[in-house]
Structure formats: structure tokens, C-alpha cells
Amino acid sequence: MDAFRRPDLNPAPDSVLPRPGFVTQAEAWMREALVEAARTPAGDVPVGAIILNPEGVIIGRGHNRREADCDPLGHAEIMAMTQAVGAHGDRWRLSNCTLVATLEPCAMCAGALVGARISRIIFGAFEPKTGACGSLIDIPRAPGALYSPEILAGVLEEECAGLLTKFFGNIRGEH
């Protein structure tokens, strides 16, 4: 299995059923997340995230800044959430909002998204080592979860995975 590609066995199927036009809209949103990923500082893993309000307007943007800021919380999703809660106006909640991220959220980010009551998580590349939305573990759909957002996985997967494969290939000298 290639890193960042759909696992052969994904124990939790996507919970979002395809709706007419929805996948096309999700792809357009993912392209915005890819633009955000391109803003990642050198040395940080290129991951981008956006959060949209119920009307589909971007209210939060983020890219990884963990290395640049020496901050373990410097993940794209956390940055986007911090910006979005101020714009959404429901205190700490992101009810009826959608996160779009180029990489499957980790346990920290998935937990924060569930805690913020985000309604939908859309991601591109799978993360077999730390993915917490179905690849390694599945926080949003854990038994007994008080809140469970919809998940749409693998949107523009090849483009999102390619960005990460190139980054890690450069680090390893695999140009």
C-alpha cells in the first residue's frame, strides 16, 4: 500500500452517501484546502484545511505550522477551527459547519472536531500511521460517541497524497 492512499481495508465505510452535485462541490472545496496547503512554511508537512459555514462560505483557514511555531498544536485543522469559531458566532461550537482537509485528521484534531460539534469532515489523503477518521482509529464513529459527524474520505485523494509523497521524498532525497 502506498503511503497516504486509501487503505485496502477501511473498517468504517464513509457515512456520507453521494448526493447529486455534492462530490463536485467537495472537490471544489478541496482545491481551496490544497491552496491553503501550499502556504505551509518550509519544513512543515504540507497540510491545508478550511472550514465552511452552513451557507458554504469559508470562515476558517489553516495550514500546518508545528515546526515553524514550535507548537505541537500547530495543525492545519486546529488553526482553521480557531479562526472559524470567532466567525461562526456559536461560541466554541461549529454546528452545521464542514471541515475540508487535505490529510485525514489525527486523533488530536479528530477529537477537537467532534468536541466542537462539526457536522461534516471531508478529507483527501489517508494517513495510515496516525489517521483517526477510519485509517488507524475512528474517533468520529467510536462506539458511544456523543456526537458523530458525517465523513467523506478520499476527495481528490491522488492530488492530496501526491503533495505529501513529494514532501517526504524530498526529505529522504528521493527527488
Side-chain angles (χ1 to χ4, degrees):
M1 177 180 76
D2 291 334
F4 312 112
R5 303 282 199 261
R6 186 177 304 267
D8 291 332
L9 297 174
N10 188 352
D14 300 340
S15 61
V16 175
L17 298 176
R19 297 185 286 277
F22 182 77
V23 172
T24 303
Q25 182 61 65
E27 289 175 352
W29 291 335
M30 188 61 71
R31 293 203 187 287
E32 283 294 319
L34 283 162
V35 166
E36 193 61 35
R39 294 184 176 124
T40 303
D44 271 295
V45 179
V47 177
I50 61 171
I51 295 180
L52 303 114
N53 69 10
E55 291 76 37
V57 175
I58 298 172
I59 58 171
R61 290 180 172 273
H63 51 266
N64 275 359
R65 297 195 51 85
R66 200 165 65 166
E67 297 296 329
D69 295 347
C70 298
D71 181 0
L73 304 178
H75 290 209
E77 301 92 333
I78 300 297
M79 301 294 185
M81 288 175 62
T82 299
Q83 194 176 82
V85 293
H88 189 51
D90 191 13
R91 301 180 48 92
W92 52 267
R93 292 173 197 83
L94 292 171
S95 305
N96 300 312
C97 291
T98 300
L99 169 96
V100 181
T102 58
L103 182 63
E104 179 179 1
C106 68
M108 174 182 71
C109 294
L113 290 161
V114 168
R117 310 296 192 265
I118 197 111
S119 293
R120 185 178 298 122
I121 297 170
I122 299 171
F123 69 87
F126 290 83
E127 178 36 289
K129 294 179 181 176
T130 62
C133 291
S135 286
L136 179 65
I137 60 175
D138 198 347
I139 289 175
R141 295 172 284 206
L146 296 176
Y147 186 81
S148 185
E150 293 180 312
I151 306 285
L152 179 59
V155 175
L156 297 183
E157 178 181 359
E158 292 297 318
E159 289 179 50
C160 295
L163 187 66
L164 295 159
T165 301
K166 180 180 177 186
F167 173 80
F168 287 109
N170 287 339
I171 287 176
R172 295 181 194 110
E174 300 169 359
H175 310 270

